[in-house]
Amino acid sequence: MSTFKKLASDTALYGLSTILARSINFALVPIQTYAFQEPSELSSNVNLYAWIGVLMAIYTLGLETAFFRFAARAKGVENAEERVQIFNRTTSIVLVASILPTILIVAFAPQVAQLLNYPGQERFITWSALLLAIDAIVAIPFARLRVENKAKRFVRAKVINILINVGLCVFFIVFCKDITEGRYLPALQPLASFIYRREIGAGYIFLANLIANGLYFLILRDAFVGFQFTFKWTVVQPLLVYSFPIMLTSLSGVVNQLTDRLLLRRFLPEGFYPGFTSEDALGIYGNCLKLSIFMALAINSFKFAADPFFFSRAEDKNSPKLLADVTKWFVIVCVVLWVGISLNLDVVGLLLRDPRYRTGLGVVPILLLANLLLGIYYNISFWFKLSDKTKYGTLITVVGAVITVVLNIVLIPRMGYMGCAWAFLISTLAMTVMCYWLGELHHPVPYHVGSALFYIGTAGLLIYGAGFIKIPNLWISVPYHLALFLLYLGIIAVVERDTVRLAVKRLRR
């Protein structure tokens, strides 16, 4: 139970920063849709952030996982110097892999803007490239904090960053924008007009993010202590050999998650949604997609704690059973989130202030389930990381990425952004099944498969069935959906009564 407590404690701590950060960041959804009421105005943001996600996997080269693996092998006080050298090598590789392509992107920003069909937005391309480089460079220092169990410092850095980011975003796109447009405080209009330029518009979201992330170098200065640039092929080669398949895996995984935003505008027929352009459709889909962020919160919170936790216990004979039990409760928590959000979309959807954005709410339950499956895949993929068989991870995610790309091309012209959601769901399902099957062949773990199928199946039936009953009156629909949600919680409590009873006893002590 002590190992469970350790993992739960770390997950809760990392989750605190992640949930707080994402919750505050999530508050930007109504703010952004207030500031930019035309969905097409946020189109380039959705698209460029998708490209940032794709390129981030290339810039970091899978070296976070390599750092965890090699640092775990150099355990103990006597190996402290070796861990510093591992940090130096991984950070040096990321520096080289980040700075050189960033210089090229900035130098050819006008050409990149034309290539992405956003002419005149080379300023946004430059800010995105710098943002990407900073994110990549601080990735290993953040990993170092996790390896050294400095979760509080990790949390503090993340929370400070998001507060600065949100504060600047509100300052630029609400305060300065409103004053410039003459909505209030006319005495400050000259100053606000100097700061806010209409031609930049939604680009201030990038600028706020860039300034906040640039301050990471100040916030994380302690995590860079002892760093010396080291790039000798003989010493970095083992890291790259291990991390390259991880990079391919990460890249394929990111492509799998972001292909919809990269292809929707290109393959959506004009006039598919009456009264909306393809730019509008991308803006609507991108903002509705943010409503599935709560599932990503649970996955990311767990991931931050699980990486160093399971790598440090790679040789423990009880680790397979521990992983199986952890995965079971991970599924239960994620299913509860899926049910809670999907049943209450009528309320959650109010965060999208403009009713036009709410036309895409139908994708949210599908995206939540897809992210749930992605979280399960992440859990059961530890077998190939712990056994150094990372080539299987590459195979699985490449297959998933191919499925996603093909299905998006096929389904978008027929189903619009709903086709994007279904493509992602089918891909994550295929990846999860493949990973489980290969894992049972090479590194068996006694997963609670029946339990997972029961909870996902019953939750899906409840969400599907509730969708047939439309209640426009919120005073009636909210209590009704809350009752359904509590009913489902009751079912979980009954099925898991032994574990719940044990947990209650421990709380009373």
Side-chain angles (χ1 to χ4, degrees), residues 338 454-468:
W338 181 33
F454 169 76
Y455 287 121
I456 294 174
T458 53
L461 289 173
L462 177 61
I463 295 168
Y464 182 73
F468 285 102

Side-chain angles (χ1 to χ4, degrees), residues 119-172:
Q121 296 192 13
E122 53 269 17
R123 182 189 286 115
F124 302 166
I125 302 297
T126 298
W127 291 345
S128 298
L130 295 173
L131 176 62
L132 176 61
I134 294 171
D135 278 351
I137 292 169
V138 300
I140 304 303
F142 269 121
R144 184 182 190 179
L145 293 179
R146 290 158 65 189
V147 167
E148 295 176 354
N149 293 317
K150 296 179 179 178
K152 291 182 179 179
R153 190 170 298 177
F154 180 101
V155 169
R156 184 166 60 247
K158 289 290 186 180
V159 171
I160 292 173
N161 168 264
I162 199 66
L163 289 174
I164 294 172
N165 185 12
V166 172
L168 287 173
C169 201
V170 172
F171 174 73
F172 286 133

